[in-house]
Amino acid sequence: MKINDSIKQPVDLTADKIGVNAHKKTEQTSTSTAVTENVTLSTLSSQVKSLEVKVAGTEVFDTEKVDAIKSAIASGQFSVDSGNVADGLISSVKDLLNIQK
């Protein structure tokens, strides 16, 4: 298994944005009357947005630990404890079975 930073590659969406903006400009020039729309968001959407802001500032994983594991794998020093892996899998399956009941 190869571990690398392929997920961190940037995605270029400028072509799509340019096409959308150009389309909007032609629509605006062809219609002389302004159209306004009102949008009302539910309280649940406000709660989700506030949670999103809180989570955005926290890391999902420890980058230092990941880097240490990557270097251990690269140098051939990383070893897997099959007992811990098996215990973790059994625990996960038990949790999934309890959720389904």
Side-chain angles (χ1 to χ4, degrees):
M1 176 195 298
K2 183 176 180 181
I3 299 175
N4 58 22
D5 294 336
S6 63
I7 296 175
K8 294 182 180 179
Q9 294 177 351
V11 177
D12 185 19
L13 299 174
T14 55
D16 293 337
K17 290 180 182 178
I18 292 171
V20 170
N21 290 338
H23 181 67
K24 286 182 180 178
K25 287 180 183 178
T26 57
E27 285 180 0
Q28 290 174 353
T29 56
S30 64
T31 58
S32 60
T33 59
V35 177
T36 59
E37 294 182 16
N38 293 328
V39 177
T40 305
L41 300 177
S42 68
T43 57
L44 181 60
S45 65
S46 300
Q47 291 172 350
V48 169
K49 183 65 176 173
S50 67
L51 287 174
E52 186 178 274
V53 171
K54 289 179 185 176
V55 172
T58 60
E59 289 191 30
V60 178
F61 58 92
D62 185 4
T63 55
E64 291 178 6
K65 186 174 182 179
V66 171
D67 290 338
I69 293 171
K70 284 171 68 172
S71 64
I73 290 171
S75 66
Q77 296 175 350
F78 185 78
S79 63
V80 176
D81 184 0
S82 59
N84 285 341
V85 173
D87 291 342
L89 287 172
I90 291 170
S91 175
S92 296
V93 170
K94 285 180 180 178
D95 290 343
L96 290 172
L97 290 174
N98 288 333
I99 290 172
Q100 291 178 356
K101 288 181 181 180

Coordinates of all heavy atoms in Angstrom, one line a residue:
M1 N 0.9 -1.2 0.0 CA 0.0 0.0 0.0 C 0.9 1.2 0.0 O 1.8 1.3 0.8 CB -0.9 0.0 1.2 CG -1.7 1.3 1.3 SD -2.5 1.6 2.9 CE -3.6 0.3 3.1
K2 N 0.6 2.2 -0.9 CA 1.4 3.4 -1.0 C 0.7 4.5 -0.4 O -0.5 4.7 -0.7 CB 1.8 3.7 -2.4 CG 2.7 4.9 -2.6 CD 3.1 5.1 -4.0 CE 4.0 6.3 -4.1 NZ 4.3 6.5 -5.5
I3 N 1.3 5.3 0.5 CA 0.7 6.4 1.2 C 1.3 7.7 0.6 O 2.5 7.8 0.6 CB 0.9 6.4 2.7 CG1 0.2 5.1 3.3 CG2 0.3 7.6 3.3 CD1 0.5 4.9 4.7
N4 N 0.5 8.6 0.1 CA 1.0 9.8 -0.5 C 0.0 10.9 -0.3 O -1.1 10.7 0.3 CB 1.4 9.6 -2.0 CG 0.2 9.2 -2.8 OD1 -1.0 9.4 -2.4 ND2 0.5 8.6 -3.9
D5 N 0.3 12.1 -0.8 CA -0.6 13.3 -0.6 C -1.4 13.5 -1.9 O -1.6 14.7 -2.2 CB 0.3 14.5 -0.3 CG 0.9 14.4 1.1 OD1 0.4 13.6 1.9 OD2 1.9 15.0 1.3
S6 N -1.9 12.5 -2.6 CA -2.6 12.7 -3.8 C -4.0 13.4 -3.6 O -4.5 14.0 -4.4 CB -2.8 11.4 -4.5 OG -3.6 10.5 -3.7
I7 N -4.5 13.3 -2.3 CA -5.8 13.9 -2.0 C -5.6 15.4 -1.9 O -6.6 16.2 -2.2 CB -6.3 13.4 -0.7 CG1 -6.6 11.9 -0.9 CG2 -7.6 14.1 -0.3 CD1 -7.0 11.2 0.4
K8 N -4.4 15.9 -1.6 CA -4.3 17.3 -1.4 C -4.1 18.1 -2.7 O -3.9 19.3 -2.7 CB -3.0 17.6 -0.5 CG -3.2 17.1 0.9 CD -2.0 17.3 1.7 CE -2.2 16.8 3.1 NZ -1.1 17.1 4.0
Q9 N -4.2 17.5 -3.9 CA -4.0 18.2 -5.1 C -5.2 19.2 -5.3 O -6.3 18.8 -5.1 CB -3.9 17.2 -6.3 CG -2.7 16.4 -6.2 CD -2.7 15.3 -7.3 OE1 -3.7 15.2 -8.0 NE2 -1.5 14.7 -7.5
P10 N -4.9 20.4 -5.7 CA -6.0 21.4 -5.9 C -6.9 21.1 -7.1 O -6.4 20.5 -8.1 CB -5.3 22.7 -6.1 CG -3.9 22.3 -6.6 CD -3.6 21.0 -6.0
V11 N -8.1 21.4 -7.0 CA -9.1 21.2 -8.1 C -9.3 22.6 -8.7 O -9.7 23.5 -8.0 CB -10.4 20.6 -7.6 CG1 -11.4 20.5 -8.7 CG2 -10.1 19.3 -6.9
D12 N -9.2 22.6 -10.0 CA -9.4 23.9 -10.7 C -10.8 24.0 -11.3 O -11.1 23.2 -12.2 CB -8.3 24.0 -11.9 CG -8.4 25.4 -12.6 OD1 -8.9 26.3 -12.0 OD2 -7.9 25.5 -13.7
L13 N -11.6 24.9 -10.8 CA -12.9 25.1 -11.2 C -13.1 26.4 -11.9 O -14.3 26.8 -12.1 CB -13.9 25.0 -10.0 CG -13.9 23.7 -9.2 CD1 -14.7 23.8 -8.0 CD2 -14.3 22.5 -10.1
T14 N -12.1 27.1 -12.3 CA -12.2 28.4 -12.9 C -13.0 28.4 -14.2 O -13.7 29.3 -14.5 CB -10.8 29.0 -13.1 OG1 -10.0 28.2 -13.9 CG2 -10.2 29.3 -11.8
A15 N -12.8 27.3 -15.0 CA -13.5 27.3 -16.3 C -15.0 27.2 -16.1 O -15.8 27.9 -16.8 CB -13.0 26.1 -17.1
D16 N -15.4 26.4 -15.1 CA -16.9 26.3 -14.8 C -17.4 27.7 -14.3 O -18.5 28.1 -14.7 CB -17.1 25.2 -13.8 CG -16.8 23.8 -14.3 OD1 -16.9 23.7 -15.5 OD2 -16.6 23.0 -13.5
K17 N -16.6 28.3 -13.4 CA -17.1 29.6 -12.9 C -17.2 30.7 -13.9 O -18.1 31.5 -14.0 CB -16.2 30.0 -11.8 CG -16.2 29.2 -10.5 CD -15.3 29.7 -9.5 CE -15.4 28.8 -8.2 NZ -14.4 29.2 -7.2
I18 N -16.2 30.7 -14.9 CA -16.3 31.7 -15.9 C -17.5 31.5 -16.8 O -18.2 32.4 -17.1 CB -15.0 31.6 -16.8 CG1 -13.8 32.0 -15.9 CG2 -15.1 32.4 -18.0 CD1 -12.5 31.8 -16.6
G19 N -17.8 30.2 -17.1 CA -19.0 29.9 -17.9 C -20.3 30.3 -17.3 O -21.2 30.9 -17.9
V20 N -20.4 30.1 -16.0 CA -21.6 30.5 -15.2 C -21.7 32.0 -15.1 O -22.8 32.5 -15.3 CB -21.5 29.8 -13.8 CG1 -22.6 30.4 -12.9 CG2 -21.6 28.3 -13.9
N21 N -20.6 32.7 -14.8 CA -20.7 34.1 -14.8 C -21.0 34.8 -16.1 O -21.8 35.7 -16.2 CB -19.4 34.7 -14.2 CG -19.1 34.4 -12.8 OD1 -20.1 34.1 -12.1 ND2 -17.9 34.3 -12.4
A22 N -20.5 34.2 -17.2 CA -20.8 34.8 -18.5 C -22.3 34.6 -18.8 O -22.9 35.4 -19.4 CB -19.9 34.1 -19.6
H23 N -22.8 33.4 -18.4 CA -24.2 33.1 -18.7 C -25.1 34.1 -17.9 O -26.1 34.6 -18.4 CB -24.5 31.7 -18.3 CG -25.9 31.3 -18.6 ND1 -26.5 31.2 -19.8 CD2 -26.9 30.9 -17.7 CE1 -27.7 30.8 -19.7 NE2 -28.0 30.6 -18.4
K24 N -24.7 34.3 -16.6 CA -25.5 35.2 -15.8 C -25.5 36.7 -16.3 O -26.5 37.4 -16.3 CB -25.0 35.2 -14.4 CG -25.3 34.0 -13.6 CD -24.8 34.1 -12.2 CE -25.1 32.8 -11.4 NZ -24.6 32.9 -10.0
K25 N -24.3 37.1 -16.9 CA -24.2 38.4 -17.4 C -25.1 38.6 -18.6 O -25.8 39.6 -18.8 CB -22.8 38.8 -17.8 CG -21.9 39.0 -16.6 CD -20.5 39.3 -17.0 CE -19.6 39.5 -15.7 NZ -18.2 39.8 -16.1
T26 N -25.2 37.6 -19.5 CA -26.1 37.7 -20.6 C -27.5 37.7 -20.2 O -28.3 38.4 -20.9 CB -25.8 36.6 -21.6 OG1 -26.0 35.3 -21.0 CG2 -24.4 36.6 -22.2
E27 N -27.9 37.0 -19.2 CA -29.3 37.0 -18.7 C -29.6 38.4 -18.1 O -30.7 38.9 -18.4 CB -29.5 36.0 -17.6 CG -29.5 34.5 -18.1 CD -29.8 33.6 -16.9 OE1 -29.8 34.0 -15.8 OE2 -29.8 32.3 -17.2
Q28 N -28.7 39.0 -17.4 CA -28.9 40.3 -16.8 C -29.1 41.4 -17.9 O -29.9 42.2 -17.8 CB -27.8 40.7 -15.9 CG -27.8 39.8 -14.6 CD -26.6 40.1 -13.7 OE1 -25.7 40.8 -14.2 NE2 -26.5 39.5 -12.6
T29 N -28.3 41.3 -18.9 CA -28.5 42.3 -20.0 C -29.7 42.1 -20.8 O -30.2 43.1 -21.3 CB -27.2 42.3 -20.9 OG1 -27.1 41.0 -21.4 CG2 -26.0 42.7 -20.1
S30 N -30.2 40.9 -20.9 CA -31.4 40.7 -21.8 C -32.7 41.0 -21.1 O -33.7 41.3 -21.7 CB -31.4 39.2 -22.2 OG -31.6 38.4 -21.1
T31 N -32.7 41.0 -19.7 CA -33.9 41.4 -19.0 C -33.6 42.8 -18.3 O -32.6 43.0 -17.7 CB -34.2 40.4 -17.9 OG1 -33.1 40.2 -17.0 CG2 -34.5 39.0 -18.6
S32 N -34.6 43.6 -18.5 CA -34.4 45.0 -17.9 C -35.0 45.1 -16.5 O -34.8 46.1 -15.8 CB -35.0 46.0 -18.9 OG -36.4 45.7 -19.0
T33 N -35.9 44.2 -16.1 CA -36.5 44.3 -14.8 C -35.7 43.4 -13.8 O -35.3 42.3 -14.2 CB -38.0 43.8 -14.9 OG1 -38.0 42.4 -15.3 CG2 -38.8 44.6 -15.8
A34 N -35.6 43.9 -12.6 CA -34.9 43.1 -11.6 C -35.8 42.2 -10.9 O -37.0 42.5 -10.5 CB -34.3 44.1 -10.6
V35 N -35.4 41.0 -10.7 CA -36.2 40.0 -10.0 C -35.5 39.6 -8.7 O -34.4 39.4 -8.7 CB -36.3 38.7 -10.9 CG1 -37.1 37.6 -10.2 CG2 -36.9 39.0 -12.3
T36 N -36.3 39.7 -7.6 CA -35.8 39.4 -6.3 C -36.5 38.2 -5.8 O -37.7 38.0 -6.0 CB -35.9 40.5 -5.4 OG1 -37.3 40.9 -5.2 CG2 -35.1 41.7 -5.8
E37 N -35.8 37.3 -5.1 CA -36.4 36.2 -4.4 C -36.0 36.2 -3.0 O -34.9 36.5 -2.6 CB -35.9 34.9 -5.1 CG -36.4 34.8 -6.5 CD -35.9 33.5 -7.2 OE1 -35.5 32.6 -6.4 OE2 -35.9 33.4 -8.4
N38 N -36.9 35.8 -2.1 CA -36.6 35.7 -0.7 C -36.5 34.2 -0.4 O -37.3 33.4 -0.7 CB -37.7 36.3 0.1 CG -37.8 37.8 0.0 OD1 -36.8 38.4 -0.3 ND2 -39.0 38.3 0.1
V39 N -35.4 33.9 0.4 CA -35.2 32.6 0.8 C -35.1 32.5 2.4 O -34.5 33.4 3.0 CB -33.8 32.1 0.3 CG1 -33.5 30.7 0.8 CG2 -33.8 32.1 -1.2
T40 N -35.9 31.6 2.9 CA -35.9 31.5 4.4 C -35.3 30.1 4.8 O -35.8 29.1 4.2 CB -37.3 31.6 4.9 OG1 -37.9 32.8 4.4 CG2 -37.4 31.5 6.4
L41 N -34.3 30.1 5.6 CA -33.7 28.9 6.1 C -34.3 28.4 7.4 O -34.7 29.3 8.2 CB -32.2 29.1 6.2 CG -31.4 29.5 5.0 CD1 -30.0 29.8 5.3 CD2 -31.6 28.5 3.9
S42 N -34.4 27.2 7.5 CA -34.9 26.6 8.8 C -33.9 26.8 9.9 O -32.7 27.1 9.7 CB -35.3 25.1 8.6 OG -34.1 24.4 8.5
T43 N -34.4 26.6 11.1 CA -33.5 26.7 12.3 C -32.5 25.6 12.3 O -31.3 25.7 12.7 CB -34.3 26.7 13.6 OG1 -35.0 25.5 13.6 CG2 -35.2 27.9 13.7
L44 N -32.9 24.4 11.7 CA -31.9 23.3 11.6 C -30.7 23.6 10.7 O -29.6 23.3 11.1 CB -32.7 22.1 11.1 CG -31.8 20.8 11.0 CD1 -31.3 20.4 12.4 CD2 -32.7 19.7 10.4
S45 N -31.0 24.3 9.6 CA -29.9 24.7 8.8 C -28.9 25.7 9.4 O -27.7 25.6 9.2 CB -30.4 25.3 7.4 OG -31.1 26.5 7.7
S46 N -29.5 26.5 10.3 CA -28.6 27.5 11.0 C -27.7 26.7 12.0 O -26.6 27.0 12.2 CB -29.5 28.5 11.8 OG -30.2 29.2 10.9
Q47 N -28.3 25.7 12.7 CA -27.6 24.9 13.6 C -26.4 24.1 12.9 O -25.3 24.0 13.4 CB -28.5 23.9 14.3 CG -29.4 24.6 15.3 CD -30.5 23.6 15.8 OE1 -30.6 22.5 15.4 NE2 -31.2 24.0 16.8
V48 N -26.8 23.6 11.7 CA -25.8 22.8 10.9 C -24.6 23.8 10.5 O -23.5 23.4 10.6 CB -26.4 22.2 9.7 CG1 -25.4 21.7 8.7 CG2 -27.4 21.1 10.1
K49 N -25.0 25.0 10.1 CA -23.9 25.9 9.7 C -23.0 26.3 10.9 O -21.8 26.4 10.8 CB -24.6 27.2 9.2 CG -23.6 28.2 8.7 CD -22.9 27.7 7.5 CE -22.0 28.8 6.9 NZ -21.1 28.3 5.9
S50 N -23.6 26.5 12.1 CA -22.8 26.8 13.3 C -21.9 25.6 13.6 O -20.7 25.8 14.0 CB -23.6 27.2 14.4 OG -24.4 26.1 14.9
L51 N -22.4 24.4 13.5 CA -21.5 23.2 13.8 C -20.4 23.1 12.7 O -19.3 22.7 13.1 CB -22.4 21.9 13.8 CG -23.3 21.7 15.0 CD1 -24.2 20.5 14.7 CD2 -22.5 21.6 16.2
E52 N -20.7 23.4 11.5 CA -19.7 23.4 10.4 C -18.6 24.3 10.7 O -17.4 24.0 10.5 CB -20.4 23.7 9.1 CG -19.6 23.6 7.9 CD -20.3 23.9 6.7 OE1 -21.0 23.0 6.1 OE2 -20.3 25.1 6.2
V53 N -18.9 25.5 11.2 CA -17.9 26.5 11.6 C -17.0 26.0 12.7 O -15.8 26.1 12.7 CB -18.5 27.8 11.9 CG1 -17.5 28.8 12.5 CG2 -19.2 28.4 10.7
K54 N -17.6 25.4 13.7 CA -16.9 24.8 14.9 C -16.0 23.7 14.4 O -14.8 23.6 14.9 CB -17.8 24.3 15.9 CG -18.6 25.4 16.7 CD -19.5 24.8 17.7 CE -20.4 25.9 18.4 NZ -21.4 25.3 19.3
V55 N -16.4 22.8 13.6 CA -15.7 21.7 13.2 C -14.5 22.1 12.2 O -13.5 21.4 12.2 CB -16.6 20.6 12.5 CG1 -15.8 19.5 11.9 CG2 -17.5 20.0 13.5
A56 N -14.7 23.1 11.5 CA -13.7 23.5 10.5 C -12.4 23.9 11.1 O -11.3 23.7 10.5 CB -14.3 24.7 9.7
G57 N -12.4 24.3 12.3 CA -11.2 24.7 13.0 C -10.5 23.6 13.7 O -9.3 23.7 14.1
T58 N -11.1 22.4 13.8 CA -10.5 21.3 14.5 C -9.9 20.3 13.4 O -10.5 20.2 12.4 CB -11.4 20.6 15.4 OG1 -12.5 20.1 14.6 CG2 -12.0 21.5 16.5
E59 N -8.9 19.6 13.8 CA -8.3 18.6 12.9 C -9.0 17.3 13.2 O -9.4 16.9 14.3 CB -6.8 18.5 13.2 CG -6.0 19.6 12.7 CD -4.5 19.3 12.7 OE1 -4.1 18.2 12.5 OE2 -3.8 20.3 12.8
V60 N -9.2 16.5 12.1 CA -9.9 15.2 12.2 C -8.9 14.2 12.7 O -9.3 13.2 13.3 CB -10.5 14.8 10.9 CG1 -11.1 13.5 10.9 CG2 -11.5 15.9 10.4
F61 N -7.6 14.3 12.4 CA -6.6 13.4 12.8 C -5.3 14.1 13.2 O -5.1 15.3 12.9 CB -6.3 12.4 11.7 CG -5.9 13.0 10.4 CD1 -4.5 13.2 10.1 CD2 -6.8 13.5 9.4 CE1 -4.1 13.8 9.0 CE2 -6.4 14.1 8.3 CZ -5.0 14.3 8.0
D62 N -4.4 13.4 13.8 CA -3.1 13.9 14.3 C -2.1 13.8 13.2 O -1.6 12.7 12.8 CB -2.7 13.2 15.5 CG -1.4 13.7 16.1 OD1 -1.0 14.8 15.7 OD2 -0.9 13.1 17.1
T63 N -1.8 15.0 12.6 CA -0.9 15.0 11.4 C 0.5 14.5 11.8 O 1.2 13.8 11.0 CB -0.8 16.3 10.8 OG1 -0.4 17.3 11.7 CG2 -2.1 16.7 10.1
E64 N 1.0 14.8 13.0 CA 2.3 14.4 13.4 C 2.4 12.8 13.5 O 3.3 12.2 13.1 CB 2.7 15.0 14.8 CG 2.9 16.5 14.7 CD 3.2 17.1 16.0 OE1 3.4 16.3 17.0 OE2 3.4 18.3 16.1
K65 N 1.3 12.2 14.0 CA 1.3 10.8 14.2 C 1.2 10.1 12.8 O 1.9 9.1 12.6 CB 0.0 10.4 15.0 CG 0.0 8.9 15.3 CD -1.1 8.5 16.2 CE -1.2 7.1 16.6 NZ -2.3 6.7 17.5
V66 N 0.5 10.7 11.9 CA 0.4 10.2 10.5 C 1.8 10.3 9.8 O 2.2 9.3 9.2 CB -0.7 10.9 9.7 CG1 -0.6 10.5 8.2 CG2 -2.1 10.6 10.2
D67 N 2.5 11.4 10.0 CA 3.8 11.5 9.4 C 4.8 10.5 10.0 O 5.6 10.0 9.3 CB 4.3 13.0 9.6 CG 3.6 14.0 8.8 OD1 2.9 13.6 7.8 OD2 3.6 15.2 9.2
A68 N 4.7 10.3 11.3 CA 5.5 9.3 12.0 C 5.3 7.9 11.4 O 6.2 7.1 11.1 CB 5.3 9.3 13.5
I69 N 4.0 7.6 11.2 CA 3.7 6.2 10.7 C 4.2 6.1 9.2 O 4.7 5.1 8.8 CB 2.2 6.0 10.8 CG1 1.8 5.8 12.3 CG2 1.7 4.7 10.0 CD1 0.3 5.8 12.5
K70 N 4.0 7.2 8.4 CA 4.4 7.2 7.0 C 5.9 7.0 7.0 O 6.4 6.2 6.1 CB 4.0 8.5 6.3 CG 2.6 8.6 6.0 CD 2.2 9.9 5.5 CE 2.8 10.3 4.2 NZ 2.2 11.6 3.7
S71 N 6.7 7.6 7.8 CA 8.2 7.5 7.8 C 8.6 6.1 8.3 O 9.5 5.5 7.7 CB 8.8 8.6 8.6 OG 8.5 8.4 10.0
A72 N 7.8 5.5 9.2 CA 8.1 4.2 9.7 C 7.8 3.1 8.6 O 8.6 2.2 8.4 CB 7.3 3.9 11.0
I73 N 6.8 3.3 7.9 CA 6.4 2.4 6.8 C 7.5 2.5 5.7 O 8.0 1.5 5.1 CB 5.0 2.7 6.2 CG1 4.0 2.4 7.2 CG2 4.8 2.0 4.8 CD1 2.6 2.8 6.8
A74 N 7.9 3.8 5.3 CA 8.9 4.0 4.3 C 10.2 3.4 4.7 O 11.0 2.9 3.8 CB 9.1 5.5 4.0
S75 N 10.6 3.4 5.9 CA 11.9 2.9 6.3 C 11.8 1.4 6.7 O 12.9 0.8 7.0 CB 12.4 3.6 7.6 OG 11.6 3.4 8.7
G76 N 10.6 0.8 6.6 CA 10.5 -0.6 6.9 C 10.5 -1.0 8.4 O 10.6 -2.1 8.7
Q77 N 10.3 0.0 9.2 CA 10.3 -0.3 10.7 C 8.9 -0.4 11.2 O 8.7 -0.7 12.4 CB 10.9 0.9 11.4 CG 12.4 1.0 11.1 CD 13.0 2.3 11.7 OE1 12.3 3.1 12.3 NE2 14.3 2.4 11.6
F78 N 7.8 -0.2 10.4 CA 6.4 -0.3 10.9 C 6.0 -1.8 11.0 O 6.2 -2.6 10.1 CB 5.5 0.4 10.0 CG 4.1 0.5 10.5 CD1 3.7 1.4 11.5 CD2 3.1 -0.3 10.0 CE1 2.4 1.5 11.9 CE2 1.8 -0.3 10.4 CZ 1.5 0.6 11.4
S79 N 5.5 -2.2 12.2 CA 5.0 -3.5 12.3 C 3.5 -3.5 12.8 O 3.1 -2.6 13.5 CB 5.8 -4.3 13.4 OG 5.7 -3.7 14.6
V80 N 2.8 -4.5 12.3 CA 1.4 -4.5 12.6 C 1.1 -5.6 13.7 O 1.6 -6.7 13.5 CB 0.6 -4.9 11.3 CG1 -0.9 -5.0 11.7 CG2 0.8 -3.8 10.3
D81 N 0.4 -5.2 14.7 CA 0.1 -6.2 15.8 C -1.3 -6.8 15.4 O -2.3 -6.1 15.5 CB 0.0 -5.5 17.1 CG -0.3 -6.4 18.3 OD1 -0.4 -7.6 18.0 OD2 -0.4 -6.0 19.4
S82 N -1.3 -8.0 14.9 CA -2.5 -8.6 14.4 C -3.5 -8.8 15.5 O -4.7 -8.7 15.2 CB -2.2 -9.9 13.8 OG -1.6 -10.8 14.7
G83 N -3.1 -8.9 16.8 CA -4.0 -9.1 17.9 C -4.8 -7.8 18.1 O -6.1 -7.8 18.3
N84 N -4.2 -6.6 18.0 CA -4.9 -5.3 18.1 C -5.8 -5.1 17.0 O -6.9 -4.6 17.2 CB -3.8 -4.2 18.2 CG -3.2 -4.1 19.6 OD1 -3.7 -4.7 20.6 ND2 -2.0 -3.4 19.6
V85 N -5.4 -5.5 15.8 CA -6.3 -5.3 14.6 C -7.5 -6.2 14.8 O -8.6 -5.7 14.5 CB -5.5 -5.7 13.3 CG1 -6.4 -5.7 12.1 CG2 -4.4 -4.7 13.1
A86 N -7.3 -7.4 15.2 CA -8.5 -8.3 15.3 C -9.4 -7.8 16.4 O -10.6 -7.8 16.3 CB -8.0 -9.7 15.7
D87 N -8.9 -7.3 17.5 CA -9.7 -6.8 18.6 C -10.5 -5.6 18.1 O -11.7 -5.4 18.5 CB -8.8 -6.4 19.8 CG -8.2 -7.6 20.5 OD1 -8.8 -8.7 20.3 OD2 -7.3 -7.4 21.3
G88 N -9.8 -4.7 17.4 CA -10.5 -3.5 16.8 C -11.7 -3.9 15.9 O -12.7 -3.3 15.9
L89 N -11.4 -4.9 15.0 CA -12.5 -5.4 14.1 C -13.6 -6.0 14.8 O -14.8 -5.7 14.5 CB -11.9 -6.4 13.1 CG -11.0 -5.8 12.0 CD1 -10.3 -6.9 11.2 CD2 -11.8 -4.9 11.1
I90 N -13.3 -6.8 15.8 CA -14.4 -7.4 16.6 C -15.2 -6.3 17.3 O -16.5 -6.4 17.4 CB -13.8 -8.4 17.6 CG1 -13.3 -9.6 16.8 CG2 -14.9 -8.9 18.6 CD1 -12.5 -10.6 17.7
S91 N -14.6 -5.3 17.9 CA -15.3 -4.2 18.6 C -16.1 -3.5 17.6 O -17.3 -3.1 17.9 CB -14.2 -3.3 19.2 OG -14.8 -2.2 19.8
S92 N -15.6 -3.2 16.4 CA -16.4 -2.5 15.4 C -17.7 -3.2 15.0 O -18.7 -2.7 14.9 CB -15.6 -2.2 14.2 OG -14.5 -1.3 14.5
V93 N -17.5 -4.5 14.8 CA -18.6 -5.4 14.4 C -19.7 -5.4 15.5 O -20.9 -5.3 15.3 CB -18.2 -6.8 14.0 CG1 -19.3 -7.8 13.9 CG2 -17.3 -6.8 12.7
K94 N -19.2 -5.5 16.8 CA -20.2 -5.5 17.9 C -21.0 -4.2 17.9 O -22.2 -4.2 18.1 CB -19.4 -5.7 19.2 CG -19.0 -7.2 19.4 CD -18.3 -7.3 20.8 CE -17.8 -8.7 21.0 NZ -17.1 -8.8 22.3
D95 N -20.3 -3.1 17.7 CA -20.9 -1.8 17.7 C -22.0 -1.7 16.6 O -23.1 -1.2 16.8 CB -19.9 -0.7 17.6 CG -19.1 -0.5 18.8 OD1 -19.4 -1.0 19.9 OD2 -18.0 0.2 18.7
L96 N -21.6 -2.2 15.4 CA -22.5 -2.2 14.3 C -23.7 -3.1 14.5 O -24.9 -2.7 14.2 CB -21.8 -2.6 13.0 CG -20.8 -1.6 12.5 CD1 -20.0 -2.2 11.3 CD2 -21.5 -0.3 12.0
L97 N -23.5 -4.2 15.1 CA -24.6 -5.1 15.4 C -25.6 -4.5 16.5 O -26.8 -4.7 16.4 CB -24.1 -6.5 15.9 CG -23.5 -7.3 14.8 CD1 -22.9 -8.6 15.4 CD2 -24.4 -7.7 13.7
N98 N -25.0 -3.8 17.4 CA -25.9 -3.1 18.4 C -26.7 -2.0 17.9 O -27.8 -1.7 18.3 CB -25.0 -2.7 19.6 CG -24.5 -3.8 20.5 OD1 -25.1 -4.9 20.5 ND2 -23.4 -3.6 21.1
I99 N -26.1 -1.3 16.9 CA -26.8 -0.2 16.3 C -28.0 -0.7 15.5 O -29.1 0.0 15.5 CB -25.9 0.6 15.4 CG1 -24.8 1.4 16.2 CG2 -26.6 1.6 14.5 CD1 -23.7 2.0 15.4
Q100 N -27.9 -1.8 14.8 CA -29.0 -2.3 14.0 C -30.2 -2.8 14.8 O -31.3 -2.9 14.3 CB -28.4 -3.5 13.1 CG -27.5 -3.0 12.0 CD -26.9 -4.1 11.2 OE1 -27.2 -5.3 11.4 NE2 -26.1 -3.8 10.2
K101 N -30.0 -3.1 16.1 CA -31.1 -3.7 16.9 C -32.0 -2.6 17.3 O -32.2 -1.6 17.3 CB -30.5 -4.4 18.1 CG -29.9 -5.7 17.8 CD -29.3 -6.4 19.0 CE -28.7 -7.6 18.6 NZ -28.1 -8.3 19.8

